[in-house]
């Protein structure tokens, strides 16, 4: 009798150990499945990646002129600048006479340390001066948003500054990484991509064309998911004499040390590249 009891106990313990192992295995499998699901949710789909349009322009399509401007040899590209309070007072008639065909004006910015929204000191003067000289304008807001709520706040702020003004060129979202000490240091690609969608969506809802400012590092290192943003136009910052970026863009910031009549000091130079059909 004692032997049978001992046998039953051993069998019971064996079953208990086996069931415990199965439960632990099930828990591990569920946890792994959840992690994989979260990773997939955080990444753009391969279907989205496949629709990122290729750049119809190649390096051979551009030439540097004697004045330092880059021209496009195979399309009706337009020469432009982007400016902020850092350029000081601008003689906009001289700018136009110097061959500039459009200007992108900074409206404001969010401070990287405090998160406070601020207006560019020269925003309204630049909008008015460019208009009086007959230079078509676009605008941009320098973002340091860390949530979609802040991106929406920035869009509303930019729109309020544009009351009474019209734009020929887009209203642009410019988010930049400013280092480990900035409040945006820990913003991930999912958050930034959603912030862009929020800002651009609100801008278009208000009747303006939207655009995203970025550099190749942002896409190559998945700082944002560019594949999810093809509904908006792209403004590429790539300082070079030739442009070999593989994907289609709408505007190319090719220099941050340009020289333009009517502006003291360095200024950003841009080419607007109409999309080829």
């Amino acid at each position: 009798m004692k032997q049978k009891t001992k046998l039953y106990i051993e069998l019971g313990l064996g079953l208990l150990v086996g069931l415990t192992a199965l439960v632990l295995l099930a828990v591990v499998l569920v946890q792994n499945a959840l992690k994989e699901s979260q990773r997939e949710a955080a990444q753009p789909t391969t279907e989205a990646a496949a629709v990122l349009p290729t750049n119809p322009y190649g390096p051979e399509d551009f030439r540097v002129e004697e004045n330092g401007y880059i021209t496009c040899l195979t399309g009706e590209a337009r020469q432009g600048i982007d400016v902020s309070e850092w350029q000081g007072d601008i003689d906009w008639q001289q700018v136009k006479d110097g061959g500039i065909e459009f200007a992108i004006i900074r409206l404001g910015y969010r401070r990287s340390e405090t998160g406070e929204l601020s207006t560019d000191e020269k925003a309204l003067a630049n909008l008015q001066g460019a208009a009086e000289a007959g230079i078509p304008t676009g605008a941009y807001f320098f973002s340091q948003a860390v949530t979609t709520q802040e991106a929406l706040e920035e869009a509303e702020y930019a729109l309020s500054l544009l009351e009474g003004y019209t734009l020929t060129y887009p209203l642009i979202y410019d988010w930049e990484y400013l280092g480990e000490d900035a409040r945006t240091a820990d913003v991930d690609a999912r958050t930034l991509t959603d912030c862009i969608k929020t800002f651009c969506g609100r801008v278009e809802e208000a009747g303006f064309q939207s655009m995203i400012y970025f550099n190749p590092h942002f896409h190559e290192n998945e700082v944002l998911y560019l594949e999810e943003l093809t509904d908006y136009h792209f403004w590429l910052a790539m300082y070079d004499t030739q442009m070999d970026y593989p994907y289609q863009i709408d505007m190319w910031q090719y220099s941050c040390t340009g020289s333009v009549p009517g502006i003291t000091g360095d200024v950003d130079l841009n080419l607007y590249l109409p999309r080829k059909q």
Side-chain angles (χ1 to χ4, degrees), residues 14 16 22 31 61 75 77 94 133 141 145 150 159 161 164 166 190 220 267:
L16 181 60
L22 287 173
Q31 289 177 336
D61 294 323
Q94 283 193 41
F141 189 89
E150 288 191 350
L159 291 170
L161 295 174
T166 58
R190 178 74 274 146
E220 293 164 2
V267 64

Side-chain angles (χ1 to χ4, degrees), residues 213-229:
Y213 178 85
F214 69 99
N215 61 54
H217 166 79
F218 273 41
H219 181 226
E220 293 164 2
N221 295 279
E222 293 191 340
V223 177
L224 54 72
Y225 298 141
L226 197 65
E227 295 86 353
E228 294 185 19
L229 301 169

Side-chain angles (χ1 to χ4, degrees), residues 31 89 109 145 152 156 189 210 214 216 253:
Q31 289 177 336
D89 295 326
Y109 55 96
L152 180 59
E156 298 291 357
S210 61
F214 69 99
Q253 185 184 75

